[in-house]
């Protein structure tokens, strides 16, 4: 059984602007984790490493980033002599460019179309790797040129592109793939890059007819990329369905907490507590608050409360306050607040769409808070 | 917020001089006294201390004059109160200068010092009004008078002015704060005005900055995309070049792959040709060497056969020639000797010969004579005749003398000839060499010479063959001395076998060569063609690579000049999200501000209805439902009250004094309730003579109503009706005596006012002990008489 470390979408040098003040810290954390890849490969007795594109976030990253990559691959080659890379849509091959500066022993597929595969002898047997540097200008549909070699051993295709049925299918200059195409390669493993969520072969076909796998992003590039991220350890043997396992990178993952019901919370502080007790150690919460609250939640305060505990947090408020008993009580008051509550509710109910409802509820909460009503 | 409360007053004001404490008993504070005792003045003193007199109004100035202390001291007063926020405040006013000093009682911190003129417009005055508003609920006396000051039998015009309505709104101040807070937050976000028609700020805020950043990013992205579009044909060209390069590379690979077998084949063919040539040469050499060897042997055999019977010397032919000469000479000598013996002297034939020159001269002369000159010819002929005769003569004489010598010499010569012939015959095979055998010898010699020549030629050819073999063998692998013929032949044979084997191997290798290597179209499978094609492809590759590098350089320059589309798109998405968030925040802020504003306006639009509702509630309580409702289209002074199903003015005859008083009281209390609505102000309610014209039942009902009010706010009442107090079982907290100038005992001491002591010269019955010194100062010399009708506030 051949063990292949499948890396993709590291996006070295990304701005991480979505993480706000945490961006710089996160950038360093990703670099730190990336530096540890050779040790990961060694620990798992990897026979070959494949990088399925978007190693860099831009074609010409800062020299500091390029130097980090060179050093990591230099050390990687000391551990695993067989390293293969294809560029992605974010980091197409340019001259001069970071791919050209990688150690020569790391094989970078720079041809724009599939050419002759690379055959190597690994400790686990012969390995044949197919890859190419997709170039829309050269050939928008180069996959017809991918022909399986008759050489014995494990055959691996290295492709950076968007599978047509992937949720983020967008077209553009990305390579477009279909499951049928993937299944038709006839190789033992298809290491995919571009799609940022880990997607094992079972998600392509239950019967194992499409041995493809998206490794997903190495670490969340923005706060919408929730869940564990890292690299894939694929155990591949000729003619069998590959077994894949996600090895999480040592970078704080974004933990999505959708629909945290805060109906029973009495104030913002309690909301913060409720969220905090659900956040895994080391994770960065991205929370959507839900439920029917009896007070006007201030998502900014909640977020500020979370930021006091976590390096990054994002709070989206989907709670319904305007149907609460508390608000109904307020509408009974014969004072400005009563008028405010009634008028606010009327405006919410007159809103044309959900966005407008959200805005008007937000306005009502702001108004009530400004009036000192908790 | 707790309701503010007046705690005490210490004053030099009109007929009052001293200190009066207002106990907090959970019921209305009762100030009693007979008519003219200064009850209303005392109530008024609380408010005037706080709010002062407006110097701009003549009636106010006149009233201030009336309040000149009877003690003759400057008019001043000090009110202690508990503000709405719980702060204990001491307000001291000098009525002469209108200077106000306010301090925090516990910390002694001076809160205000300055102009306390209620009509003042300076910032100092306005600041003081703000402080008053915080402490007591109103910054101005007028709304206080219109709402919480219930004068005896009066209904002071109640204007729902801003000050009053601010208080009436209850949360008005909160609304103001909220609107300010929301406006500030909004204006921190955007330069746009929060309300329609507002002024747009000059400086951009977060929303505009973010939108500008988005616009800038969009522009950058457009430029980057345009650059990419501009780059696209270059990229397509590079793609085309790469494809061509791939094709050229493939062809070069094919040519290079084919070149070796083709060159190998060519080499093998050449080797084969060489091997064949060598084999052929060796075969020829073998054959030739064999032939020459055989020819040599045959020649040598022929030479040997020709040599049977002896071998002729090499110069036998020359010897024969010499012998023939000698034989001729011998014959001649022999014949001469024989003739000499037979004819004698003169018989020599030499004479005529001697005469020949003369004959020649004669003949020449004859020719000259014929051709040229007879004379000269004659001379010549004669000369010739003479010369011939002379010569003939001389010859005759010589012959005669030499005959003997000649015979001897002939013998000698014969002997030499024979000797010479003997030498010539030496080594000549038998038979003896004679002219007769000469031809035989000649034939034999020539046969022998021919045989020898044949041997020489055969030897030469053999030698040549041998040398050639040597030459061939010199190039053989086992080069060495070829040796003599047999050895050379053997080695030649061996070498030929070697060459034959080599040729066979070459042939085998040739047969093992692939039949026809794959070559690009149009390229002949020959080395020159392949070389030419390869060079041509290499040249094309060089051109294509140069163009590719140039295009890459152009693209790189573009990449340097323009930004990465993907990075910009992501930055733009982030910026748009931020801009959207900021915009939503601004919109929500504007909505919130509008909501508060509109809610407040809506609330304010119900002021009149709420006011009348509050009044009517009190009216029902006070009148037991017999009076009411109170209605008014505008000011409360124009209010009408319902009585027995009819609406009538308050001062209409059908209303008794009691009913009118009850109506006025209900209006004031209702107004106070209205103002206290929600978080509204609960300023102390000052009610002058609430029991006037009321029977004992109605009085009790009013008292109970006031007691109820006093649970939520301070209520201070004055009454002169001791019977009612007695009926209600109430003991006055402050009982004022009718003051007379110089009377210091006009106030009865109350048990809870034990700490108060009359001021010297004052008329307070409970003067403050801290003012004993003042108490000793004596009464005011000539205080103005109390004028009750002048105590009205408006």
């Amino acid at each position: 059984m051949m063990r292949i470390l499948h890396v993709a979408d590291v996006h070295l040098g990304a701005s991480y602007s979505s993480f706000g003040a945490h961006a710089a810290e996160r950038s360093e954390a990703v670099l730190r984790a990336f530096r540890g890849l050779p040790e990961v490969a060694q620990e798992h007795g990897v026979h070959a490493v494949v990088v399925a594109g978007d190693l860099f976030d831009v074609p010409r990253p800062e020299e500091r980033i390029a130097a980090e990559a060179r050093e990591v691959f230099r050390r990687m080659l000391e551990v695993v002599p067989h390293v293969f890379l294809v560029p992605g849509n974010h980091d197409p091959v340019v001259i001069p460019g970071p791919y050209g500066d990688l150690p020569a022993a790391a094989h970078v597929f720079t041809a724009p179309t599939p050419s002759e595969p690379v055959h190597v002898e690994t400790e686990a047997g012969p390995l044949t790797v197919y890859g190419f540097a997709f170039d829309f200008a050269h050939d928008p549909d180069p996959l017809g040129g991918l022909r399986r070699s008759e050489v014995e051993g494990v055959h691996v295709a290295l492709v950076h592109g968007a599978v047509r049925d992937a949720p983020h299918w967008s077209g553009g200059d990305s390579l477009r793939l279909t499951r049928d195409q993937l299944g038709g390669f006839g190789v033992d493993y298809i290491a995919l890059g571009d799609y940022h969520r880990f997607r094992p072969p079972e998600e392509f076909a239950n019967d194992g007819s499409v041995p493809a796998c998206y490794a997903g992003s190495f670490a969340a590039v923005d706060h919408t990329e929730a869940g564990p991220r890292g690299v894939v350890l694929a155990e591949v043997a000729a003619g069998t369905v590959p077994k894949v396992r996600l090895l999480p990178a040592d970078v704080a993952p974004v933990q999505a907490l959708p629909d945290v019901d805060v109906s029973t919370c009495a104030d913002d502080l309690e909301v913060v507590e409720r969220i905090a007790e659900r956040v895994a150690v080391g994770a960065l919460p991205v929370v959507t608050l839900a439920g029917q609250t009896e007070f006007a939640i201030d998502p900014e305060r909640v977020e500020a409360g979370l930021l006091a505990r976590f390096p990054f947090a994002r709070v989206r408020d989907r709670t319904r306050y305007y149907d609460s008993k508390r608000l109904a009580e307020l509408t009974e008051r014969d004072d400005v607040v009563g008028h405010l509550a009634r008028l606010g509710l009327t405006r919410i109910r007159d809103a044309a769409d959900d966005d407008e409802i959200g805005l008007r509820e937000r306005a009502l909460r702001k108004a009530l808070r400004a009036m000192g009503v908790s | 917020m707790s309701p503010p409360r007046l705690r005490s007053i210490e004053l030099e004001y009109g007929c009052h001089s001293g200190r009066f404490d207002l106990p907090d008993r959970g019921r209305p504070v009762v100030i009693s006294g007979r008519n003219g005792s200064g009850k209303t003045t005392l109530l008024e003193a609380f408010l005037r201390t706080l709010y002062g007199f407006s110097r701009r109004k003549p009636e106010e100035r006149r009233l201030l004059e009336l309040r000149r202390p009877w003690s003759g001291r400057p008019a001043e007063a000090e009110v202690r109160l508990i503000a709405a926020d719980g702060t204990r405040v001491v307000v001291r006013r000098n009525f002469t200068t209108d200077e106000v000093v306010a301090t925090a009682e516990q910390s002694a911190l001076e809160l205000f010092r300055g102009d306390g003129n209620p009509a003042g417009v300076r910032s100092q005055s306005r600041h003081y009004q703000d402080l008053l508003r915080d402490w007591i609920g109103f910054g101005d006396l007028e709304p206080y008078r219109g709402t919480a000051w219930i004068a005896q039998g009066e209904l002071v015009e109640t204007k729902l002015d801003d000050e009053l309505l601010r208080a009436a709104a209850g949360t008005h101040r909160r609304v103001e704060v909220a609107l300010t807070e929301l406006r500030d937050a909004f204006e921190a976000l955007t330069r746009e005005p929060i309300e329609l028609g507002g002024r747009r700020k000059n400086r951009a805020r977060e929303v505009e900055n973010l939108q500008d950043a988005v616009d800038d990013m969009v522009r950058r992205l457009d430029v980057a995309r345009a650059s990419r579009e501009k780059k696209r044909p270059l990229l397509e060209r590079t793609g085309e070049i790469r494809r061509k390069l791939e094709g050229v590379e493939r062809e070069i690979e094919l040519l290079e792959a084919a070149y070796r077998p083709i060159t190998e084949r060519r080499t093998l063919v050449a080797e084969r040709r060489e091997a064949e040539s060598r084999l052929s040469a060796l075969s020829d050499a073998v054959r030739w060497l064999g032939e020459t060897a055989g020819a040599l042997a045959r020649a040598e055999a022929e030479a040997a056969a020709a040599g049977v019977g002896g071998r002729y010397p090499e110069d036998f032919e020359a010897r024969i020639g010499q012998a023939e000469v000698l034989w001729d000479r011998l014959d001649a000598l022999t014949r001469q000797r024989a003739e000499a013996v037979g004819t004698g002297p003169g018989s020599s034939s030499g004479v005529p010969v001697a005469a020949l020159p003369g004959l020649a001269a004669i003949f020449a002369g004859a020719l000259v004579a014929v051709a040229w000159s007879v004379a000269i010819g004659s001379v010549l002929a004669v000369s010739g005749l003479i010369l011939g005769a002379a010569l003939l003569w001389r010859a005759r004489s010589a012959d005669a003398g030499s005959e003997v010598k000649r015979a001897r010499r002939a013998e000698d010569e014969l002997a030499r000839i024979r000797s010479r012939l003997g030498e010539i015959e030496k080594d000549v095979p038998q038979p003896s060499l004679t002219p007769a055998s000469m031809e035989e010898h000649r034939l034999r010699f020539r046969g022998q010479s021919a045989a020898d020549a044949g041997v020489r030629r055969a030897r030469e050819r053999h030698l040549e063959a041998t040398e050639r073999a040597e030459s061939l063998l010199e190039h053989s692998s086992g080069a060495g001395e070829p040796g003599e013929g047999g050895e050379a032949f053997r080695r030649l044979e061996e070498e030929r076998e070697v060459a034959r084997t080599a040729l066979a191997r070459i042939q085998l290798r040739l047969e093992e060569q692939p039949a026809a290597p794959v070559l690009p179209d149009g390229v002949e499978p020959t080395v020159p063609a392949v070389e030419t094609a390869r060079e041509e492809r290499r040249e094309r590759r060089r051109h294509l690579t140069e163009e590719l590098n140039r295009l890459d350089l152009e693209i790189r320059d573009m990449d340097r000049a323009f930004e990465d589309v993907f990075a910009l798109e992501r930055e733009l998405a982030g910026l748009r999200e931020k801009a959207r968030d900021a915009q939503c925040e601004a919109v929500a802020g504007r909505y919130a501000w509008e909501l508060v504003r509109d809610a407040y306006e809506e609330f304010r639009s119900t002021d009149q209805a709420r006011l009348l509702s509050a009044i009517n509630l009190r009216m029902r309580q006070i009148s037991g439902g017999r009076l009411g409702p109170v209605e008014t289209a505008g000011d409360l002074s124009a209010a009408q009250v319902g009585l027995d199903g009819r609406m009538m003015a308050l001062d209409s005859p059908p209303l008794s004094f009691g009913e009118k008083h009850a109506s006025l009281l209900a209006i004031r209390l209702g107004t106070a309730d209205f103002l206290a609505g929600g978080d509204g102000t609960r300023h102390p309610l000052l009610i002058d003579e609430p029991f006037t014209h009321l029977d004992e039942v109605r009085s009790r009902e009013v008292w109970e109503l006031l007691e109820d009010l006093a649970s939520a706010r301070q209520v201070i009442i004055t009454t002169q009706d001791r019977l009612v107090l007695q009926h209600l079982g109430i003991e006055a907290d402050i009982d004022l005596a009718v003051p007379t100038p110089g009377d210091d005992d006009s106030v009865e001491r109350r048990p809870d006012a034990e700490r108060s002591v009359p001021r010297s010269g004052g008329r307070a019955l409970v003067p403050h002990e801290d003012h004993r010194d003042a108490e000793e100062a004596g009464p005011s010399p000539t205080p103005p008489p109390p004028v009750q009708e002048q105590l009205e506030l408006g």
Side-chain angles (χ1 to χ4, degrees):
Chain A
M1 190 70 77
M2 187 178 292
R3 285 184 292 279
I4 295 173
L5 195 66
H6 174 185
V7 183
D9 296 283
V10 184
H11 286 276
L12 293 172
S15 69
Y16 300 101
S17 57
S18 165
F19 288 93
H22 179 54
E25 190 183 334
R26 185 162 188 83
S27 177
E28 288 306 313
V30 170
L31 272 179
R32 253 196 322 275
F34 181 65
R35 286 187 206 113
L37 275 183
E39 286 71 30
V40 172
Q42 189 168 35
E43 182 188 346
H44 291 87
V46 165
H47 299 109
V49 176
V50 293
V51 182
D54 285 354
L55 174 64
F56 305 99
D57 193 55
V58 289
R60 290 191 180 85
E62 292 174 22
E63 172 52 27
R64 183 178 71 92
I65 300 296
E68 289 276 5
R70 285 197 296 273
E71 176 60 16
V72 166
F73 280 101
R74 186 192 64 74
R75 290 193 296 112
M76 181 69 87
L77 286 163
E78 291 174 358
V79 179
V80 185
H82 310 296
V83 176
F84 304 90
L85 303 97
V86 292
N89 54 338
H90 276 262
D91 56 354
V93 170
V94 290
I95 302 170
Y99 281 113
D101 295 337
L102 292 180
H107 186 98
V108 182
F109 290 92
T110 55
T113 51
S115 54
E116 286 301 304
V118 178
H119 305 280
V120 293
E121 283 295 331
T122 73
E123 290 180 5
L127 169 66
T128 303
V129 182
Y130 308 78
F132 62 97
F134 175 65
D135 182 350
F136 71 95
H138 185 276
D139 188 352
D141 186 18
L143 291 166
L146 203 155
R147 294 279 180 271
R148 188 187 187 282
S149 161
E150 295 305 317
V151 176
E152 290 199 351
V154 169
H155 292 248
V156 172
L158 193 52
V159 183
H160 186 89
V163 176
R164 202 177 290 268
D165 59 349
H168 83 312
W169 172 261
S170 60
D173 292 340
S174 288
L175 172 63
R176 303 169 188 198
L177 304 162
T178 64
R179 275 192 296 193
D180 290 343
Q181 278 176 320
L182 296 178
F185 290 167
V187 297
D188 303 304
Y189 186 65
I190 305 170
L192 292 170
D194 192 22
Y195 182 36
H196 282 202
R197 186 175 68 78
F198 168 57
R199 198 172 179 209
E202 305 85 73
E203 289 194 26
F204 288 90
N206 286 329
D207 59 0
S209 59
V210 183
C213 177
Y214 273 113
S217 51
F218 178 68
V221 179
D222 62 49
H223 72 268
T224 64
E225 296 183 7
R229 308 270 154 174
V231 294
V232 162
L233 181 65
E235 293 182 332
V236 187
T240 63
V241 178
K243 294 177 183 171
V244 299
R245 183 156 56 103
L246 182 68
L247 306 176
D250 188 17
V251 182
V254 173
Q255 184 180 0
L257 293 169
D259 299 332
V260 175
D261 191 347
V262 291
S263 302
T264 57
C265 292
D267 54 27
D268 292 331
L269 200 60
E270 203 174 324
V271 171
V272 171
E273 290 295 334
R274 179 156 300 182
I275 294 167
E277 66 192 19
R278 297 183 182 197
V279 180
V281 176
L284 308 175
V286 173
V287 190
T288 303
L289 304 176
Q292 179 73 57
T293 60
E294 293 301 322
F295 71 102
I297 283 182
D298 183 351
E300 289 173 7
R301 283 190 66 202
V302 173
E303 192 168 293
L306 290 172
L307 283 173
R309 300 177 180 217
F310 304 100
F312 170 80
R314 182 62 59 90
V315 174
R316 184 173 290 276
D317 183 18
R318 298 281 188 211
T319 57
R320 286 164 56 87
Y321 175 61
Y322 62 86
D323 280 343
S324 69
K325 290 177 187 169
R326 167 69 175 151
L327 195 57
E329 286 172 8
L330 291 178
T331 61
E332 298 300 316
R333 284 171 52 166
D334 189 20
D335 57 7
V336 177
V337 171
H339 281 267
L340 183 61
R342 287 191 293 275
L343 191 60
L345 279 177
T346 303
R347 290 183 177 177
I348 289 169
R349 285 165 186 151
D350 291 345
D353 52 42
D354 286 348
D355 287 344
E356 192 63 17
I357 287 175
L359 276 175
R360 293 185 182 189
E361 169 151 358
R362 196 165 158 185
L364 177 57
R365 294 183 195 197
K366 275 178 176 291
L368 289 172
R369 274 197 299 275
M371 289 295 292
V373 179
S374 61
Chain B
M1 300 286 274
S2 57
R5 189 165 69 82
L6 300 170
R7 294 172 56 223
S8 69
I9 184 168
E10 185 173 353
L11 72 172
E12 290 292 341
Y13 187 86
C15 61
H16 296 296
S17 175
R19 168 172 168 154
F20 300 94
D21 292 326
L22 303 181
D24 182 9
R25 296 173 182 275
R27 65 166 174 78
V29 176
V30 179
I31 301 171
S32 71
R34 288 177 294 166
N35 291 337
S37 61
K39 301 184 293 296
T40 304
T41 304
L42 186 58
L43 281 184
E44 176 206 298
F46 277 102
L47 298 184
R48 290 295 179 180
T49 304
L50 296 175
Y51 297 102
F53 293 87
S54 171
R55 306 287 177 90
R56 291 181 181 176
K57 297 178 181 176
E59 65 274 17
E60 291 267 294
R61 288 199 299 273
R62 191 165 58 89
L63 188 58
L64 175 61
E65 180 58 28
L66 288 173
R67 296 296 178 258
R68 187 159 54 85
W70 292 7
S71 64
R73 298 188 183 94
E76 59 181 4
E78 181 183 276
V79 168
R80 293 170 185 262
L81 59 91
I82 299 175
D85 64 357
T87 308
R88 289 173 180 260
V89 182
V90 179
V91 179
R92 171 176 286 275
R93 176 180 292 271
N94 183 324
F95 290 99
T96 307
T97 62
D98 256 346
E99 186 191 54
V100 171
V101 178
T103 51
E105 190 175 348
Q106 289 161 319
S107 64
L109 182 69
E110 189 171 281
L111 303 174
F112 178 81
R113 176 185 289 273
D115 185 7
N117 181 1
V121 293
R122 290 189 301 174
S123 60
Q124 199 176 46
S125 298
R126 286 203 298 275
H127 174 53
Y128 177 61
Q129 290 163 20
D130 289 340
L131 288 173
L132 279 178
R133 201 172 287 117
D134 288 339
W135 296 334
I136 206 80
F138 291 109
D140 189 8
L141 179 62
E142 289 305 315
Y144 207 118
R145 287 179 58 212
T147 56
W149 170 269
I150 301 174
Q152 181 183 1
E154 291 296 324
L155 182 61
V156 177
E157 183 182 9
T158 302
K159 294 178 181 174
L160 294 178
D161 61 8
D162 278 351
E163 184 70 22
L164 178 61
L165 291 174
R166 280 180 181 180
T171 51
H172 177 87
R173 297 209 66 210
R174 185 68 233 180
V175 169
E176 274 192 336
V177 170
L179 287 173
T180 304
E181 185 182 304
L182 290 169
R183 179 190 292 271
D184 289 348
F186 180 82
E187 289 181 348
L189 277 172
T190 175
R191 70 198 299 180
E192 295 299 323
I194 199 167
E195 56 189 326
L196 286 175
R199 193 174 62 82
R200 193 165 181 262
K201 303 284 186 302
N202 290 328
R203 190 171 57 82
R205 308 295 207 276
E206 187 179 346
V207 168
E208 289 80 23
N209 289 336
L210 282 168
Q211 190 55 50
D212 287 348
V214 167
D215 293 343
D216 181 56
M217 189 62 74
V218 167
R219 277 192 295 276
R220 285 166 62 191
L221 191 56
D222 287 343
V223 170
R225 283 184 175 138
S227 165
R228 192 170 66 174
E229 287 307 309
K230 191 177 169 188
K231 202 168 66 174
R232 187 179 288 268
L234 298 183
L235 288 172
E236 285 170 356
R237 176 63 186 149
T238 55
E240 187 184 339
I241 291 172
R242 285 197 182 99
R243 278 195 299 278
K244 284 184 179 174
L245 266 176
E246 283 174 16
V248 170
E249 288 288 358
R250 271 197 301 274
E251 289 191 353
I252 289 173
E253 282 176 14
L254 286 178
L255 290 166
E256 286 181 344
Y259 183 75
R260 189 173 171 186
I262 288 174
T263 50
E264 277 184 1
R265 173 173 282 276
R266 185 179 69 162
T267 304
L268 285 173
V269 168
E271 285 177 4
R272 182 177 67 181
R273 195 159 47 240
E274 189 180 344
E276 285 173 345
S277 172
R278 182 170 176 77
L279 183 60
S280 172
L282 286 168
S283 297
D284 289 347
V286 168
R287 178 174 50 77
W288 194 21
L289 193 60
E291 286 175 0
T292 56
L296 179 59
R298 284 193 301 277
E300 284 177 343
E302 285 176 7
V308 173
R311 289 196 52 84
Y312 291 91
E314 293 291 326
D315 56 351
F316 181 70
E317 195 73 36
R319 288 190 193 185
I320 285 177
Q322 291 174 5
E324 282 179 329
V325 172
L326 289 175
W327 281 332
D328 290 341
R329 182 65 180 165
L330 189 61
D331 286 343
L333 286 175
T334 304
R335 274 191 312 272
Q336 281 180 2
R337 194 176 59 188
E339 287 174 358
V341 172
T343 62
S347 61
S348 171
S349 61
V351 175
V353 174
L356 283 176
L359 289 174
I362 294 168
F363 181 69
L367 284 174
V368 170
V370 172
W372 187 35
S373 173
V374 175
I376 296 172
S378 300
V379 171
L380 282 174
V382 171
S383 300
L385 189 61
I386 298 169
L387 182 59
L391 288 172
L392 192 56
W393 178 76
R394 189 181 171 211
R396 287 268 190 183
S397 54
D399 284 346
S402 63
E403 280 293 331
V404 174
K405 292 180 182 178
R406 203 162 46 201
R408 254 194 328 267
R409 281 198 302 268
E411 285 299 329
D412 291 339
E413 191 175 355
L414 282 171
R416 280 197 306 273
I417 288 170
R418 288 188 183 99
S419 171
R420 180 62 185 151
L421 284 172
E423 288 175 2
I424 288 172
E425 199 175 3
K426 188 180 177 182
D427 298 329
V428 175
Q430 291 302 321
S432 181
L433 185 61
T434 63
S437 65
M438 182 189 68
E439 196 56 34
E440 179 189 349
H441 278 290
R442 185 186 297 270
L443 289 174
R444 286 177 59 192
F445 173 72
R446 285 182 177 171
Q448 185 177 318
S449 293
D452 287 345
V455 169
R456 275 196 306 275
R457 282 196 303 275
R459 183 163 288 135
E460 285 171 1
R461 287 188 65 195
H462 186 62
L463 183 61
E464 189 181 345
T466 304
E467 285 174 352
R468 188 166 177 181
E470 287 172 355
S471 173
L472 284 172
L473 289 171
E474 277 176 3
H475 295 96
S476 70
S477 55
E481 288 303 319
E484 290 304 318
E487 178 63 15
F489 188 80
R490 185 186 61 77
R491 288 198 54 207
L492 269 180
E493 283 288 344
E494 288 176 1
E495 196 60 31
R496 188 169 64 169
E497 275 308 304
V498 170
R500 190 174 284 130
T501 305
L503 180 61
R505 283 178 180 159
I506 290 169
Q507 188 62 37
L508 196 63
R509 284 170 63 193
L510 267 173
E511 287 170 2
E512 287 172 352
Q513 284 288 307
V518 179
L519 284 171
D521 292 342
V523 179
E524 291 294 324
T526 63
V527 170
V530 168
E531 283 178 344
T532 304
R534 189 177 60 180
E535 287 310 307
E536 187 266 333
R537 264 64 166 187
R538 282 176 175 168
E539 188 67 11
R540 277 171 61 193
R541 179 173 66 181
R542 192 176 62 77
H543 284 303
L544 289 170
T545 306
E546 282 175 359
E547 187 179 0
L548 186 63
N549 289 341
R550 185 179 55 75
L551 288 171
D552 277 341
L553 201 63
E554 281 186 42
I555 292 167
R556 190 163 67 244
D557 287 344
M558 284 183 177
D559 287 342
R560 283 201 183 107
F562 299 103
E563 298 166 279
D564 180 65
V565 169
F566 286 107
L568 288 179
E569 280 175 346
R570 193 161 52 213
E571 290 297 316
L572 178 61
L575 269 177
R576 278 190 167 138
E577 187 182 346
K578 284 180 184 170
R580 192 167 49 247
D581 286 350
Q583 185 64 37
C584 285
E585 183 68 12
V587 170
R590 184 202 298 272
Y591 282 0
W593 184 86
E594 289 172 349
L595 201 55
V596 173
R597 180 198 63 186
D598 295 349
Y600 183 54
E601 285 179 1
E602 189 181 273
F603 175 74
R604 289 286 302 275
S605 70
T606 63
D607 279 349
Q608 188 77 359
R610 285 185 292 111
L611 176 61
L612 290 176
S613 172
I615 289 170
N616 283 319
L617 177 62
R618 291 303 181 193
M619 182 65 88
R620 284 193 296 278
Q621 291 173 340
I622 290 172
S623 69
R626 204 172 68 81
L627 289 172
V630 173
E631 291 179 355
T632 179
D635 192 85
L636 287 173
S637 60
Q640 292 188 318
V641 63
L643 176 64
D644 298 331
R646 289 191 302 152
M647 298 303 295
M648 56 192 65
L650 291 178
D651 53 356
S652 299
L655 287 182
S656 68
F657 282 114
E659 287 165 342
K660 180 183 177 184
H661 183 75
S663 298
L664 295 177
L665 189 59
I667 287 172
R668 284 290 178 258
L669 292 180
T671 304
D673 291 341
F674 167 72
L675 295 180
D679 294 329
T681 179
R682 288 185 173 81
H683 42 280
L685 199 57
L686 310 178
I687 306 172
D688 192 16
E689 299 295 350
F691 308 118
T692 303
H693 308 302
L694 300 182
D695 58 34
E696 65 274 17
V697 176
R698 195 68 65 209
S699 296
R700 179 167 293 282
E701 287 173 354
V702 168
W703 173 252
E704 287 172 358
L705 181 63
L706 295 175
E707 273 192 313
D708 184 48
L709 278 172
S711 65
R713 64 196 304 172
Q714 188 179 32
V715 177
I716 305 168
I717 66 169
T718 65
T719 182
Q720 48 77 34
D721 200 334
R722 293 168 187 266
L723 290 175
V724 171
L725 292 179
Q726 196 173 0
H727 169 70
L728 295 174
I730 305 167
E731 198 169 353
D733 298 294
I734 297 172
D735 196 1
L736 296 174
V738 176
T740 53
D743 182 4
D744 287 340
D745 299 324
S746 57
V747 178
E748 293 181 4
R749 183 179 296 273
R750 291 268 311 118
D752 57 336
E754 288 174 354
R755 291 169 56 237
S756 299
V757 294
R759 290 185 64 174
S760 172
R763 296 168 54 251
L765 295 179
V766 193
H768 197 286
E769 58 188 10
D770 294 344
H771 295 82
R772 290 178 189 275
D773 293 343
E775 188 182 354
E776 294 166 358
S780 171
T782 51
V787 184
Q788 183 62 43
E789 63 273 19
Q790 292 178 341
L791 293 180
E792 296 169 2
L793 298 173

